[in-house]
DNA sequence: TACCAGGTCCTCG
DNA sequence: CGAGGACATGGT
């Protein structure tokens, strides 16, 4: 078994299923973790907005913003189109960078409405490559945010690379790439099955597990003593604990 | 108190 | 290109 496969196995055995992406059940206001097989329109939009809100921000702060948006029934292309940027910024304040993020959300909605008639399914019908290109046209959506949307809202198999992913594999495998796409290619090539591409569920789970591991153990200042993967970790052996 | 969090864009050199 | 800065709240 490849190292990145056994790392997944160890993480899953330790943390079990993460149920990403957290989404609000219809009628409620707070997002919950509970891998849904099917997402309502409203929930897909919530994931897109959530992906923007969580840029360089802890999820707890994003949750408060999502609750506000839910209470105001704003997760619809029409409502988000109508609301003033300043008003939106106020509602998402807890997520930080709120002025920028309000503009980013508006940019996303404008693009969706102008080019896809406000229909996320129409956008998500694009092939992965085209969908990614489309999302990257929007000012405020970078590669990680685009891939999160593709993986968790459109439910297509892409490997999301975030700060945790890079940090964890730099330490665990001495892995280091300059470009985001090089990181992503590494995982997608090495996690490909013989029969074809890996399942979306697997990439979704792997990314979520890495976040959990990165938050609890492989922090910026890592807790190597507590780490259940330190056996073959070069960073641990080098005493960078 | 200082540091960190599920990044992205813009501006320089 | 690629480094460096701006954006900002809330938790530890």
């Amino acid at each position: 078994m490849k190292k990145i496969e056994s790392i997944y196995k160890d993480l899953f055995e330790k943390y079990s299923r993460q149920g990403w992406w957290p989404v609000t059940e219809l009628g409620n206001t707070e997002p919950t973790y509970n891998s849904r097989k099917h997402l309502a329109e409203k929930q897909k939009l919530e994931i897109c907005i959530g992906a923007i809100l969580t840029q360089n921000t802890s999820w707890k702060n994003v949750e408060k913003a999502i609750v506000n948006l839910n209470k105001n029934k704003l997760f619809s292309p029409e409502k988000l189109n109508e609301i003033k940027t300043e008003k939106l910024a106020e509602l998402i304040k807890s997520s930080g960078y709120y002025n920028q993020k309000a503009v980013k959300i508006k940019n996303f909605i404008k693009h969706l409405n102008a080019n896809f008639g406000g229909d996320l399914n129409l956008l998500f019908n694009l092939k992965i490559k085209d969908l990614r290109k489309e999302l990257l046209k929007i000012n405020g959506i970078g590669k990680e945010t685009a891939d999160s949307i593709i993986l968790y809202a459109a439910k297509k198999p892409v490997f999301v690379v975030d700060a945790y992913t890079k940090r964890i594999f730099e330490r665990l495998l001495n892995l280091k790439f300059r470009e985001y796409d090089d990181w992503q290619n590494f995982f997608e090539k090495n996690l490909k099955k013989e029969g074809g591409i890996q399942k979306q569920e697997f990439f979704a789970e792997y990314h979520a597990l890495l976040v959990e591991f990165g938050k609890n153990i492989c922090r910026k200042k890592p807790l190597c003593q507590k780490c259940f993967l330190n056996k073959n970790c070069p960073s641990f052996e080098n005493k960078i604990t």
Side-chain angles (χ1 to χ4, degrees):
Chain A
M1 185 162 31
K2 285 179 183 163
K3 280 187 181 173
I4 55 173
E5 290 169 340
S6 68
I7 289 170
Y8 173 83
K9 190 166 163 287
D10 292 341
L11 289 173
F12 189 83
E13 279 171 10
K14 176 72 178 176
Y15 294 125
S16 76
R17 210 165 75 143
Q18 298 298 298
W20 273 39
W21 185 287
V23 164
T24 307
E25 296 295 349
L26 301 182
N28 290 350
T29 56
E30 294 183 19
T32 54
Y33 294 84
N34 174 23
S35 318
R36 289 97 177 146
K37 281 191 284 290
H38 175 266
L39 293 167
E41 288 290 293
K42 184 260 168 193
Q43 295 174 319
K44 294 179 189 178
L45 183 58
E46 183 181 317
I47 293 174
C48 297
I49 306 304
I52 293 172
L53 291 177
T54 198
Q55 289 171 0
N56 202 37
T57 301
S58 64
W59 179 254
K60 275 290 160 205
N61 287 358
V62 174
E63 258 182 356
K64 301 174 204 288
I66 291 181
V67 168
N68 281 339
L69 297 176
N70 273 324
K71 285 181 175 167
N72 288 274
K73 302 196 184 309
L74 280 167
F75 286 116
S76 89
E78 299 79 21
K79 290 292 180 56
L80 285 173
N81 183 52
E82 290 167 12
I83 192 171
K84 292 272 178 265
T85 306
E86 297 73 32
K87 170 76 174 163
L88 179 58
E90 197 58 36
L91 290 170
I92 63 171
K93 196 159 215 164
S94 67
S95 74
Y97 309 136
Y98 52 89
N99 287 314
Q100 282 194 350
K101 284 174 179 173
V103 173
K104 292 178 179 184
I105 291 169
K106 291 296 255 180
N107 287 344
F108 175 78
I109 291 298
K110 275 180 213 159
H111 192 88
L112 181 66
N113 287 335
N115 300 285
F116 300 90
D119 187 352
L120 270 182
N121 289 325
L122 207 53
L123 171 64
F124 291 167
N125 273 341
L126 296 174
K127 302 284 184 196
I128 291 178
K129 273 192 159 180
D130 295 327
L131 174 53
R132 196 167 191 252
K133 261 187 220 163
E134 200 62 36
L135 290 168
L136 290 176
K137 288 179 186 169
I138 302 165
N139 187 303
I141 298 198
K143 288 175 176 173
E144 187 192 330
T145 306
D147 287 340
S148 295
I149 291 172
I150 297 169
L151 178 63
Y152 292 107
K155 289 192 175 294
K156 295 176 193 288
V158 292
F159 197 93
V160 176
V161 179
D162 67 351
Y164 290 126
T165 311
K166 292 176 187 168
R167 185 165 78 210
I168 290 166
F169 285 94
E170 279 171 24
R171 288 180 180 153
L172 233 35
L173 300 184
N174 272 323
L175 216 54
K176 181 79 180 167
F177 298 105
R178 182 81 130 310
E179 298 296 326
Y180 179 101
D181 289 346
D182 294 331
W183 279 101
Q184 182 174 61
N185 283 334
F186 172 81
F187 289 102
E188 294 190 354
K189 298 266 185 264
N190 284 287
L191 292 173
K192 199 179 289 184
K193 284 185 181 170
E194 300 86 72
I197 201 155
Q198 264 292 356
K199 284 209 207 63
Q200 177 270 342
E201 289 89 341
F202 177 70
F203 288 147
E205 197 56 47
Y206 205 156
H207 176 67
L209 287 166
L210 288 172
V211 172
E212 192 61 18
F213 181 59
K215 280 206 274 214
N216 293 309
I217 307 285
C218 208
R219 304 180 176 174
K220 206 150 208 173
K221 289 168 80 99
L223 306 178
C224 297
Q225 310 303 331
K226 288 179 62 180
C227 182
F228 49 94
L229 298 179
N230 66 15
K231 226 170 170 132
N232 298 309
C233 181
S235 299
F236 184 59
E237 287 167 13
N238 294 337
K239 314 242 181 305
I240 307 172
T241 62

XYZ file of all heavy atoms in Angstrom, chain A residues 140-193:
459
model
N -12.326 36.526 -6.429
C -12.612 36.152 -5.053
C -12.623 34.652 -4.875
O -12.602 34.139 -3.763
N -12.659 33.941 -5.990
C -12.595 32.483 -5.947
C -11.264 32.022 -6.516
O -11.006 32.171 -7.705
C -13.760 31.853 -6.724
C -15.071 32.266 -6.054
C -13.613 30.345 -6.792
C -16.247 31.429 -6.422
N -10.437 31.490 -5.658
C -9.150 30.948 -6.072
C -9.244 29.444 -6.219
O -10.342 28.873 -6.178
N -8.105 28.804 -6.374
C -8.111 27.376 -6.673
C -8.696 26.517 -5.561
O -9.468 25.603 -5.816
C -6.691 26.925 -7.012
C -6.270 27.437 -8.362
C -4.824 27.133 -8.699
C -4.533 27.615 -10.119
N -3.090 27.509 -10.452
N -8.321 26.824 -4.330
C -8.832 25.982 -3.255
C -10.344 26.130 -3.096
O -11.058 25.146 -2.913
C -8.145 26.297 -1.931
C -8.555 25.298 -0.878
C -8.161 25.693 0.529
O -7.139 26.378 0.697
O -8.900 25.318 1.453
N -10.810 27.357 -3.163
C -12.251 27.589 -3.039
C -12.997 26.937 -4.197
O -14.035 26.291 -4.000
C -12.537 29.099 -3.009
O -11.754 29.699 -1.973
C -14.007 29.373 -2.751
N -12.471 27.080 -5.389
C -13.094 26.460 -6.559
C -13.179 24.946 -6.367
O -14.231 24.337 -6.590
C -12.299 26.792 -7.819
N -12.073 24.350 -5.933
C -12.065 22.897 -5.777
C -12.986 22.430 -4.658
O -13.601 21.365 -4.763
C -10.629 22.413 -5.529
C -9.792 22.477 -6.800
O -10.388 22.516 -7.897
O -8.552 22.486 -6.699
N -13.090 23.211 -3.597
C -14.020 22.858 -2.528
C -15.442 22.840 -3.051
O -16.236 21.953 -2.715
C -13.913 23.864 -1.376
O -12.647 23.787 -0.776
N -15.771 23.821 -3.871
C -17.111 23.884 -4.458
C -17.340 22.685 -5.380
O -18.389 22.041 -5.341
C -17.296 25.208 -5.224
C -17.341 26.376 -4.225
C -18.564 25.175 -6.081
C -17.318 27.759 -4.874
N -16.341 22.369 -6.188
C -16.471 21.247 -7.119
C -16.642 19.925 -6.372
O -17.472 19.091 -6.717
C -15.242 21.162 -8.053
C -15.149 22.427 -8.908
C -15.309 19.916 -8.923
C -13.839 22.554 -9.659
N -15.853 19.758 -5.326
C -15.882 18.499 -4.574
C -17.134 18.349 -3.714
O -17.786 17.311 -3.732
C -14.634 18.389 -3.690
C -14.539 17.143 -2.805
C -14.461 15.867 -3.638
C -13.331 17.229 -1.870
N -17.469 19.392 -2.982
C -18.512 19.240 -1.965
C -19.900 19.716 -2.402
O -20.901 19.217 -1.908
C -18.093 19.955 -0.679
C -16.923 19.306 0.012
C -15.657 19.892 0.002
C -17.083 18.091 0.675
C -14.579 19.290 0.640
C -16.010 17.481 1.313
C -14.759 18.083 1.296
O -13.704 17.479 1.923
N -19.948 20.667 -3.307
C -21.265 21.136 -3.764
C -21.655 20.432 -5.070
O -22.767 19.933 -5.199
C -21.261 22.649 -3.952
N -20.717 20.387 -6.021
C -21.009 19.716 -7.290
C -20.771 18.216 -7.195
O -21.170 17.455 -8.084
C -20.159 20.313 -8.403
N -20.100 17.788 -6.133
C -19.826 16.372 -5.882
C -19.077 15.688 -7.021
O -19.438 14.586 -7.453
C -21.121 15.626 -5.555
C -21.687 15.995 -4.188
C -22.796 15.045 -3.765
C -23.290 15.330 -2.351
N -22.278 15.070 -1.322
N -18.053 16.369 -7.494
C -17.193 15.759 -8.504
C -15.815 15.515 -7.885
O -15.382 16.264 -7.016
C -17.072 16.687 -9.711
C -18.397 16.899 -10.445
C -18.237 17.906 -11.570
C -19.571 18.377 -12.114
N -20.251 17.334 -12.913
N -15.118 14.468 -8.336
C -13.873 14.067 -7.691
C -12.665 14.940 -8.024
O -12.034 14.779 -9.064
C -13.665 12.636 -8.206
C -14.353 12.614 -9.523
C -15.509 13.556 -9.414
N -12.345 15.882 -7.153
C -11.077 16.621 -7.210
C -10.470 16.586 -5.820
O -11.190 16.517 -4.822
C -11.255 18.095 -7.638
C -11.693 18.200 -9.079
C -12.227 18.809 -6.729
N -9.157 16.629 -5.749
C -8.479 16.632 -4.456
C -8.225 18.067 -4.041
O -7.512 18.803 -4.710
C -7.172 15.847 -4.511
C -6.658 15.486 -3.141
C -6.998 14.262 -2.579
C -5.871 16.367 -2.415
C -6.549 13.932 -1.305
C -5.418 16.027 -1.141
C -5.763 14.813 -0.577
N -8.793 18.467 -2.914
C -8.633 19.840 -2.424
C -7.351 19.963 -1.615
O -7.101 19.176 -0.716
C -9.833 20.240 -1.537
C -9.618 21.625 -0.955
C -11.127 20.179 -2.330
N -6.543 20.931 -1.963
C -5.279 21.170 -1.257
C -5.398 22.446 -0.447
O -5.642 23.514 -0.993
C -4.117 21.313 -2.258
C -2.816 21.578 -1.517
C -4.009 20.081 -3.137
N -5.234 22.325 0.846
C -5.267 23.523 1.687
C -3.994 23.616 2.520
O -3.080 22.801 2.370
C -6.512 23.533 2.568
C -6.481 22.417 3.597
O -5.592 21.556 3.516
O -7.349 22.415 4.486
N -3.958 24.600 3.402
C -2.767 24.829 4.213
C -2.431 23.597 5.054
O -1.259 23.244 5.200
C -2.979 26.041 5.118
N -3.447 22.936 5.571
C -3.210 21.727 6.364
C -2.571 20.637 5.523
O -1.621 19.980 5.943
C -4.526 21.179 6.917
C -5.166 22.014 7.994
C -6.478 22.426 7.869
C -4.472 22.358 9.144
C -7.087 23.176 8.868
C -5.064 23.098 10.147
C -6.384 23.508 10.001
O -6.981 24.237 10.978
N -3.108 20.428 4.343
C -2.591 19.386 3.457
C -1.103 19.577 3.204
O -0.315 18.648 3.323
C -3.332 19.418 2.112
O -4.743 19.446 2.350
C -2.989 18.211 1.268
N -0.748 20.812 2.857
C 0.662 21.090 2.565
C 1.526 20.858 3.793
O 2.554 20.181 3.733
C 0.815 22.530 2.090
C 0.186 22.790 0.739
C 0.293 24.256 0.379
C -0.490 24.545 -0.901
N -0.657 25.990 -1.124
N 1.104 21.385 4.915
C 1.900 21.261 6.135
C 2.077 19.803 6.534
O 3.183 19.355 6.852
C 1.208 22.030 7.259
C 1.998 22.077 8.536
C 1.446 23.134 9.455
N 0.228 22.686 10.126
C -0.747 23.516 10.498
N -0.656 24.793 10.235
N -1.800 23.052 11.124
N 0.997 19.048 6.488
C 1.029 17.653 6.923
C 1.963 16.827 6.045
O 2.794 16.063 6.542
C -0.390 17.049 6.907
C -1.225 17.676 8.019
C -0.342 15.534 7.051
C -2.720 17.406 7.899
N 1.863 17.012 4.733
C 2.677 16.175 3.851
C 4.103 16.675 3.701
O 5.000 15.897 3.375
C 1.974 15.985 2.506
C 0.833 15.033 2.610
C -0.456 15.496 2.827
C 1.047 13.665 2.566
C -1.522 14.613 2.966
C -0.001 12.770 2.699
C -1.289 13.239 2.908
N 4.317 17.951 3.948
C 5.694 18.432 4.027
C 6.398 17.727 5.176
O 7.542 17.288 5.069
C 5.723 19.954 4.232
C 5.534 20.738 2.948
C 5.337 22.242 3.200
O 5.769 22.738 4.251
O 4.736 22.893 2.317
N 5.703 17.566 6.284
C 6.307 16.935 7.453
C 6.375 15.420 7.317
O 7.420 14.814 7.543
C 5.502 17.291 8.703
C 5.690 18.720 9.126
C 4.865 19.011 10.360
N 5.030 20.399 10.792
C 4.120 21.085 11.472
N 2.990 20.499 11.823
N 4.347 22.338 11.825
N 5.275 14.827 6.925
C 5.168 13.372 6.904
C 5.977 12.723 5.783
O 6.569 11.665 5.952
C 3.689 12.993 6.743
C 3.035 12.031 7.709
C 3.568 12.172 9.122
C 1.527 12.242 7.689
N 5.989 13.354 4.608
C 6.649 12.748 3.443
C 7.741 13.619 2.845
O 8.244 13.333 1.757
C 5.613 12.439 2.348
C 4.483 11.473 2.696
C 3.632 11.210 1.473
C 5.032 10.174 3.252
N 8.080 14.698 3.530
C 9.052 15.644 2.975
C 8.636 16.129 1.586
O 9.476 16.384 0.726
C 10.441 15.002 2.865
C 11.223 15.177 4.148
O 11.118 16.224 4.804
N 11.992 14.176 4.509
N 7.350 16.232 1.410
C 6.810 16.622 0.118
C 6.783 18.141 0.019
O 6.463 18.818 0.972
C 5.383 16.079 0.004
C 4.895 15.603 -1.341
C 5.829 14.565 -1.925
C 3.500 15.011 -1.200
N 7.121 18.650 -1.180
C 7.104 20.107 -1.319
C 6.941 20.500 -2.786
O 7.763 20.146 -3.624
C 8.408 20.697 -0.776
C 8.513 22.204 -0.830
C 7.737 22.844 0.290
C 7.834 24.375 0.238
N 6.839 25.004 1.120
N 5.866 21.176 -3.106
C 5.663 21.695 -4.460
C 5.457 23.193 -4.392
O 5.011 23.724 -3.393
C 4.439 21.053 -5.123
C 4.548 19.566 -5.294
C 3.842 18.710 -4.467
C 5.352 19.027 -6.278
C 3.932 17.336 -4.613
C 5.452 17.654 -6.440
C 4.741 16.813 -5.602
N 5.776 23.855 -5.479
C 5.600 25.300 -5.534
C 4.152 25.646 -5.837
O 3.532 26.449 -5.185
C 6.516 25.860 -6.614
C 6.475 27.373 -6.768
C 7.346 28.038 -5.733
N 8.256 29.010 -6.307
C 9.062 28.828 -7.331
N 9.112 27.670 -7.929
N 9.841 29.781 -7.771
N 3.600 24.971 -6.836
C 2.276 25.325 -7.344
C 1.161 24.478 -6.741
O 1.335 23.280 -6.508
C 2.243 25.149 -8.871
C 3.198 26.038 -9.616
C 2.855 27.513 -9.452
O 1.651 27.830 -9.358
O 3.788 28.322 -9.423
N 0.030 25.103 -6.570
C -1.163 24.387 -6.104
C -1.448 23.182 -6.984
O -1.676 22.074 -6.501
C -2.371 25.337 -6.106
C -3.660 24.685 -5.670
C -4.149 24.860 -4.381
C -4.387 23.868 -6.536
C -5.327 24.258 -3.964
C -5.562 23.250 -6.132
C -6.022 23.447 -4.855
O -7.180 22.826 -4.454
N -1.423 23.397 -8.293
C -1.774 22.317 -9.217
C -0.811 21.138 -9.129
O -1.202 19.992 -9.368
C -1.819 22.845 -10.656
C -3.022 23.757 -10.881
O -3.942 23.761 -10.040
O -3.046 24.472 -11.896
N 0.437 21.402 -8.773
C 1.386 20.311 -8.623
C 1.050 19.459 -7.406
O 1.152 18.235 -7.442
C 2.809 20.867 -8.509
C 3.256 21.553 -9.792
O 2.768 21.145 -10.867
O 4.072 22.483 -9.729
N 0.670 20.129 -6.320
C 0.192 19.398 -5.143
C -0.998 18.529 -5.525
O -1.027 17.334 -5.252
C -0.264 20.375 -4.053
C 0.835 20.948 -3.228
C 1.392 22.198 -3.351
C 1.495 20.316 -2.118
N 2.357 22.365 -2.388
C 2.439 21.238 -1.620
C 1.385 19.068 -1.488
C 3.266 20.963 -0.532
C 2.204 18.780 -0.412
C 3.133 19.719 0.057
N -1.968 19.138 -6.172
C -3.181 18.420 -6.520
C -2.895 17.224 -7.427
O -3.416 16.131 -7.213
C -4.159 19.365 -7.215
C -5.471 18.697 -7.552
C -6.470 19.682 -8.109
O -6.236 20.290 -9.152
N -7.577 19.860 -7.428
N -2.045 17.440 -8.430
C -1.712 16.355 -9.346
C -1.069 15.181 -8.622
O -1.347 14.027 -8.922
C -0.769 16.848 -10.448
C -1.524 17.645 -11.492
O -2.723 17.453 -11.684
N -0.824 18.567 -12.149
N -0.214 15.506 -7.669
C 0.438 14.442 -6.918
C -0.588 13.516 -6.274
O -0.509 12.293 -6.388
C 1.362 15.012 -5.844
C 1.920 13.970 -4.927
C 3.021 13.209 -5.304
C 1.318 13.705 -3.702
C 3.517 12.213 -4.471
C 1.804 12.714 -2.861
C 2.910 11.970 -3.246
N -1.556 14.108 -5.612
C -2.565 13.289 -4.937
C -3.476 12.567 -5.921
O -3.773 11.384 -5.757
C -3.401 14.156 -3.987
C -2.633 14.597 -2.783
C -2.127 15.885 -2.696
C -2.379 13.711 -1.748
C -1.393 16.288 -1.587
C -1.647 14.097 -0.640
C -1.144 15.392 -0.558
N -3.889 13.278 -6.943
C -4.834 12.653 -7.878
C -4.183 11.518 -8.663
O -4.806 10.501 -8.929
C -5.444 13.724 -8.798
C -6.319 14.687 -8.008
C -7.152 15.616 -8.875
O -6.987 15.607 -10.111
O -7.971 16.351 -8.295
N -2.915 11.680 -9.031
C -2.208 10.606 -9.740
C -2.006 9.412 -8.826
O -2.241 8.271 -9.219
C -0.834 11.081 -10.212
C -0.874 12.231 -11.208
C -0.842 11.731 -12.658
C -0.757 12.891 -13.634
N -2.073 13.292 -14.161
N -1.592 9.678 -7.589
C -1.233 8.585 -6.696
C -2.419 7.924 -6.018
O -2.281 6.851 -5.436
C -0.240 9.080 -5.641
C 1.147 9.242 -6.226
O 1.829 8.253 -6.505
N 1.553 10.473 -6.457
N -3.555 8.542 -6.095
C -4.744 7.944 -5.486
C -5.689 7.399 -6.542
O -6.793 6.998 -6.243
C -5.471 8.969 -4.610
C -4.726 9.404 -3.356
C -5.451 10.528 -2.649
C -4.541 8.220 -2.403
N -5.237 7.370 -7.778
C -6.075 6.865 -8.854
C -6.166 5.348 -8.782
O -5.198 4.661 -8.519
C -5.492 7.291 -10.203
C -6.491 7.215 -11.333
C -5.875 7.669 -12.639
C -5.627 9.163 -12.681
N -5.119 9.608 -13.989
N -7.334 4.831 -8.982
C -7.497 3.374 -9.009
C -7.189 2.846 -10.398
O -7.245 3.590 -11.373
C -8.936 3.009 -8.665
C -9.290 3.123 -7.210
C -10.715 2.615 -7.039
C -11.173 2.703 -5.603
N -12.609 2.444 -5.502
